[in-house]
Amino acid sequence: MQLYVAALDEQYCVASAQAFVQGLYPPVTLNGSAASILDPTSVLANGTYIESPLKGYQYTQMHAAGALDPDFPYLGGSLDCPAFNDVAALYAGTPAFTATESISRQIYQDVGAQTLTGVLDETAWDYYNAYAIYDYINYQNAHNKTVATLLADNANMNTSYPVLDMLRWYADEQQYAQLGNLTAENNYTGKSQPLPDGLTGSISTIAGNLLAAKMMAQLQVAVETGGAYYKLSLLFGDFEPLVSLFALTGLPAVNPNFYGLPDFGSTAVFEVFSCTNDSMNMGFPSSDDLYVRFYFRNGTGISNDASGSFQSYSLFGRGPSQVDMSWNDFQTAMYGIMLGDIGTWCTQCGAGNIFCAAWNSSDTATGTPSGSSVSATRKHKHTLNPAAAGAIGAVVTLAVAGLLFAALVLLGGLRFHRVEKHKKHDMGGFKGSQKLASDRDLTIPKGGAVVGASVERGPESPVSAIGHERVGSWELKQEHLERPNIAEAEHARHPSFEEDGADPFQDPVRADERV
């Protein structure tokens, strides 16, 4: 498998992955140019070829990770993470936040009056909601002609700068402060050390720490298998892991644009290559001959170099001319930032995802919206989960019960015997013990009956001979009795409809009534 595709389980991420893969593997139709690469599984024994739907659409395997998937944190490490949310809220109590909130208050009021009335409460028109406001206004600018005209003309805006750019700057500053803080303290763990094992980063950058681990794992598989697996790995997610990864790899120091948010459709690339001569036919290069280069393309535009083409940048504090890192140096640097243990993510975040149950912990946290008072206590218990404990308890109980039973048999003389059932109950009849005195059964008199079988009558039974006696029963093999005359029996029967001339077969719906 040379291609690996994974996406966060969100509609826009999965759709992006599908669209990109279709560019790699466009539909294949049955024509002369494609005859040499036809899929053998689509060729039948008679020589005909079965073309896929949608004019040869190719279905590529993709992995989608949702909140119930243990791979979910690698693409969305800041999601479902209460500890991250607390740290992000703490930013609202910092001097940097207060200063920006003060200078930006007027622009948010002006923009809100023009575009946010009826959409967002007026009390929320401020820097605290910088990203949400920018995201909404940016969408309206692309799809709403009225809003686009207002923003282009800066109508009723007390600024000479483009309004959308200003909203973007404030959103950039807010998101980097929440996602790129390398020294933020995790109040859920109560430790001064931001991340375990001396890793660079904090709960603020945990999304980038896990993304680095995922990317490194994919590259290592490709190198260790000589390119047999994962020559190309594609990961699709939101902007949060990328912003954190920029901070962890030192990219903002190389180019201040990395303090900002990546545009929609942005691409970050880690390329592993070598400088060996292909004509030497040496096979896959050794790790000593491998190098890594990082590229970034901001958005999908083509107007300038910053957004229209891939640009290479140096990593981990190297100079601008050192864009190529040896594979061994790259591994060492990545080991200092990557967090590959899902259990550590669970305990650092205080996450309640179902797969975090294996790392049993109890979290309590209290705080205010401003983040001025946040306290947390955590108790890590290396205990079994309830299902495993219940299974072990059941087995132990059965074992103890078995030992007690064996002791009673061997030492207490406990024995079992079979109780014989009565062959015939005193009441007789097919009801047995459930028979009542008033019930009547079909019985055979002890002295034998002159007729095959009769209904036993009690004192309260009618004297009339009208009943359902059976006369001359041949089933009881009483051959010494004279059998009845069948002809006479025919005359003794009740008259039938045929004898009155009514034919039930020819006239089935005619009513025949009599008194």
Side-chain angles (χ1 to χ4, degrees), residues 276-285:
T276 56
N277 192 345
D278 291 340
S279 62
M280 299 175 65
N281 194 21
M282 297 176 59
F284 195 85

Side-chain angles (χ1 to χ4, degrees), residues 8 91 99 148 157 215 222 283 288 338 352 395 412 426 430 432 435 444 448 450 474 485:
L8 195 65
Y91 171 62
M157 307 291 181
M215 293 190 304
D288 294 334
M338 67 184 198
V395 172
D426 293 339
F430 72 93
K435 181 181 178 186
I444 306 250
V450 294
W474 56 270
N485 191 315

Side-chain angles (χ1 to χ4, degrees), residues 250-263:
L251 284 168
V254 177
N255 189 319
N257 287 331
F258 286 104
Y259 283 109
L261 294 170
D263 288 336

Side-chain angles (χ1 to χ4, degrees), residues 221-239:
V221 170
V223 172
E224 292 173 1
T225 61
Y229 288 90
Y230 305 157
K231 281 186 176 179
L232 178 62
S233 294
L234 303 172
L235 307 178
F236 296 84
D238 219 327
F239 69 87

Side-chain angles (χ1 to χ4, degrees), residues 455-476:
V455 175
E456 185 181 22
R457 300 181 182 275
E460 72 279 5
S461 300
V463 180
S464 172
I466 299 175
H468 298 283
E469 297 96 335
R470 297 177 60 190
V471 180
S473 175
W474 56 270
E475 292 93 336
L476 297 179

Side-chain angles (χ1 to χ4, degrees), residues 297-308:
R297 171 174 167 168
N298 192 27
T300 58
I302 58 175
S303 58
N304 53 62
D305 291 339
S307 62

